[in-house]
Amino acid sequence: MPRYSDELIEEVRSANDIVDVISGYVKLQKKGSNYFGLCPFHNEKSASFSVSPAKQMYYCFGCGAGGNVMTFLMEYENYTFPEAMRSLADRAGIRLPVEELTAQEKRESDYRMKLFEINKEAGKYYYSLLRSGRGAHALDYFRGRGLSDETMKKFGLGYADKYSDDLYRYLKSKGYPDGMLKDSGLISLHETRGAQDKFWNRAMFPILNVHHKIIGFGGRVMGEGEPKYLNSPETMIFDKGRNLYGLNLARSSRRQGMLLCEGYMDVIALHQAGFDNAVASLGTAFTSGHASLLKHYTKEVTLTFDSDGAGVKAALRAIPILKEAGLTARALTMKPYKDPDEFIKALGAEAYQERIDQAENSFLFEIRILEQNYNMNDPEGKTSFYREAARKLLEFTEEVERNNYIEAIASKYQIGYENLRRLVGSVSMQADATRKLTKRKSGVHEKEAKGEEGIKKSQKLLLTWLSEKPALYPLLKEYVTPEDFTDEICRRTAKALYEQLESGQLNLAQIPSHFENMQEQRETAAAFHQTIQAVNTKAERERALKDTVIKLKENHLQMLRENHELSGMQERFQQMVEEKKMLERLRKKEFRIPDECT
């Protein structure tokens, strides 16, 4: 990672107002001193995403996403830190120095480039073999599937020869060492059998990343053999969970939304038919990484999975993942045909477009599939179905949205709206009772966990107080040091905040940059965005602040008692004595909050 000085990082960050930047991604409305909008990191109907011009930070009270303007680009655009720096520097017209990599980073970068190079050489070799006499039967296979020469060229389709070391010998002739060939995922090395190609006697599908670089391959066996489809293993440049087949082309499509398929041939057939917004996962189940990737390019995904049982199950698994990522999902039916390839061959592109236009709301699709598990001609089966549908309706936390779906399901499945609404209420009460019983049974461990969570919340609350009312610092620093914050993130955040307050230069947005991990940056943002309970009088505020400080000190003292063996006995004992004395003084002291903090 390029290393920029703290001063340069701060120059770039402060030159990009967070409200201006985030407004380019999220529709924001001013409420009081902050701006609010729908969170781009999770699916929500009411705005809980807050952007503070004063703090130059964002925070979602729903999912906990938060940080400064750089964190936002890293989370939303999936940028690395250097990429976020370059993007914001370009936006502000700041010229970044060309940073030199360390020797280790240079070696790693060069090695990655070599792996890309090997994959490119393999792709070219497979491509040429398909168009030679040796690839005739694979070429016949592709043409038999209705693919034009233009489409085959567009997707770089190829052929891996029937000899199991053919690619190995070709790549060795290019001078690549065995270790590097093994790391590419294209060659296996065995003590007894020697070197063997990963793919042989297969029709080949190069897999490209969004930058149009080959990162892996999929291969379909020619003739008999298992597995029918084989994919490259994960390598230094190939992560199946964060890449989608065809996305390098689909990302430039002018069509609305994305079509999510199951296989390579479905994507290729759809692109050939004009649906150039089709993508597929890479021989693995659809993941949250795939959903995050799609979110960079679209807000709506239409599932066009196979119409058989396996395809329906895959769709049911993908829907909640898409929803969690904040994407709208719909399900397309291709019956009586199995997949997009078969459908288009039989009925054509126009009929397929009609199916896209008629694609089913994902929740109603889930309910329709759920119905198939019950005998709707049997009163007991019908009742069980209604009860399960009511449970699913509880997924909607917003009452208006839930009532709209209750109305839709009541109309479709011939149950009165009021009857279904009451059933949803009854199921909700039963679920609440079960949760309460589970809580009671969980015993001491939950109590301890709740206590730990309460302490952490108090630590964050005090940090929020200090960040919003810096005039409290002279009062609090006498009693509370960063060491009193027993949660590691809170302690590091407090240390950075105290240094700023001590110097008289408060700059909250700079603090998340002290943390490399995205989750840690979220935690830091959360520490400055706790809800301070509204109280009526100054005396009540002073009492609330004092109680929070006492809670922190008591917790720190308890930690010292529990861990006194971990360091010098005498030194730790003396520290405990001092802490107890301070607690006593604190309990007797009356807090006086400065007028500017009220």
Side-chain angles (χ1 to χ4, degrees), residues 266-281:
D266 291 333
V267 170
I268 295 170
L270 283 169
H271 277 252
Q272 182 167 278
F275 301 97
D276 59 355
N277 56 337
V279 298
S281 56

Side-chain angles (χ1 to χ4, degrees), residues 325-486:
L327 291 161
T328 299
R330 298 187 304 152
L332 180 151
T333 177
M334 288 169 291
K335 287 185 176 179
Y337 301 98
K338 180 177 180 286
D339 55 40
D341 190 23
E342 280 187 14
F343 185 99
I344 289 169
K345 281 189 176 73
L347 301 180
E350 197 173 316
Y352 192 78
Q353 181 60 55
E354 287 176 10
R355 293 291 177 100
I356 292 174
D357 296 338
Q358 297 160 7
E360 193 173 13
N361 171 288
S362 61
F363 186 79
L364 297 179
F365 167 78
E366 290 177 299
I367 296 295
R368 179 168 62 80
I369 300 303
L370 180 68
E371 181 199 6
Q372 296 172 9
N373 298 326
Y374 298 90
N375 180 0
M376 297 299 281
N377 295 317
D378 174 57
E380 189 175 338
K382 189 183 282 190
T383 302
S384 297
F385 164 68
Y386 289 147
R387 192 173 289 116
E388 197 55 42
R391 281 195 192 93
K392 282 200 68 63
L393 283 160
L394 289 173
E395 293 174 8
F396 299 103
T397 53
E398 195 174 277
E399 190 175 359
V400 172
E401 185 178 27
R402 185 166 64 241
N403 287 340
N404 286 338
Y405 277 98
I406 289 173
E407 186 178 351
I409 290 168
S411 172
K412 184 173 181 179
Y413 294 100
Q414 301 175 338
I415 175 175
Y417 170 80
E418 281 301 323
N419 289 337
L420 183 55
R421 193 177 66 79
R422 281 196 294 271
L423 180 59
V424 170
S426 171
V427 169
S428 177
M429 284 191 288
Q430 289 171 14
D432 286 343
T434 303
R435 277 194 294 272
K436 285 175 184 174
L437 181 63
T438 305
K439 274 187 176 182
R440 283 201 299 273
K441 285 182 177 178
S442 64
V444 178
H445 293 299
E446 184 184 299
K447 220 172 179 182
E448 288 174 355
K450 195 173 180 183
E452 288 172 12
E453 194 57 39
I455 289 296
K456 189 173 179 180
K457 189 171 182 181
S458 294
Q459 293 176 24
K460 288 182 176 180
L461 187 61
L462 197 60
L463 289 168
T464 299
W465 248 317
L466 277 168
S467 70
E468 295 185 354
K469 308 290 183 184
L472 287 172
Y473 179 62
L475 171 68
L476 293 178
K477 71 175 182 178
E478 182 184 346
Y479 297 97
V480 182
T481 72
E483 292 307 311
D484 290 310
F485 293 82
T486 51

Side-chain angles (χ1 to χ4, degrees), residues 113 122 263 265 524 533:
M113 293 308 294
M265 280 305 304
T524 305
Q533 192 173 355

Side-chain angles (χ1 to χ4, degrees), residues 41-239:
F41 304 116
H42 82 288
N43 196 17
E44 64 174 7
K45 299 295 181 183
S46 55
S48 62
F49 182 78
S50 161
V51 184
S52 167
K55 296 177 181 177
Q56 284 293 299
M57 295 177 77
Y58 69 94
Y59 184 71
C60 176
F61 292 93
C63 71
N68 59 22
V69 68
M70 287 186 181
T71 317
F72 181 84
L73 282 191
M74 289 166 70
E75 195 160 10
Y76 190 93
E77 294 284 9
N78 198 27
Y79 282 168
T80 61
F81 178 76
E83 287 170 338
M85 271 289 283
R86 285 195 291 272
S87 175
L88 292 172
D90 289 345
R91 186 178 183 275
I94 296 171
R95 189 171 181 179
L96 295 179
V98 177
E99 293 284 328
E100 287 191 12
L101 301 177
T102 66
Q104 176 65 20
E105 288 168 338
K106 179 84 165 61
R107 282 194 297 272
E108 287 179 6
S109 176
D110 290 346
Y111 202 76
R112 284 173 61 86
M113 293 308 294
K114 283 290 183 184
L115 295 183
F116 281 122
E117 196 179 289
I118 288 170
N119 275 272
K120 184 178 179 180
E121 281 290 350
K124 284 161 60 179
Y125 186 62
Y126 292 146
Y127 184 90
S128 65
L129 280 183
L130 180 69
R131 289 148 185 84
S132 71
R134 291 155 67 185
H137 59 314
L139 190 60
D140 288 344
Y141 165 75
F142 283 132
R143 285 179 175 159
R145 296 294 300 264
L147 300 187
S148 67
D149 288 350
E150 184 185 354
T151 296
M152 285 188 270
K153 181 180 180 182
K154 179 181 177 182
F155 283 89
L157 303 183
Y159 170 66
D161 206 352
K162 62 183 179 180
Y163 302 108
S164 64
D165 64 348
D166 184 63
L167 179 68
Y168 173 71
R169 285 186 284 110
Y170 172 76
L171 292 174
K172 285 297 284 184
S173 74
K174 296 288 181 180
Y176 297 109
D178 284 356
M180 195 175 281
L181 293 177
K182 182 184 178 184
D183 289 345
S184 73
L186 292 169
I187 306 296
S188 300
L189 299 176
H190 306 279
E191 285 186 14
T192 53
R193 287 177 288 161
Q196 189 174 38
D197 296 350
K198 178 77 173 177
F199 302 97
W200 46 284
N201 194 30
R202 288 180 181 271
M204 297 299 293
F205 302 82
I207 299 165
L208 283 72
N209 63 16
V210 291
H211 305 298
H212 303 284
K213 289 186 176 180
I214 299 177
I215 54 176
F217 293 88
R220 188 198 187 280
V221 71
M222 293 288 92
E224 299 299 317
E226 292 294 334
K228 185 177 177 182
Y229 277 95
L230 182 66
N231 295 290
S232 288
E234 296 210 343
T235 67
M236 198 175 179
I237 61 172
F238 182 40
D239 181 347

Side-chain angles (χ1 to χ4, degrees), residues 241-254:
R242 295 198 64 84
N243 287 282
L244 290 162
Y245 184 70
L247 185 60
N248 60 305
L249 301 171
R251 68 196 289 253
S252 304
S253 173
R254 294 190 176 184

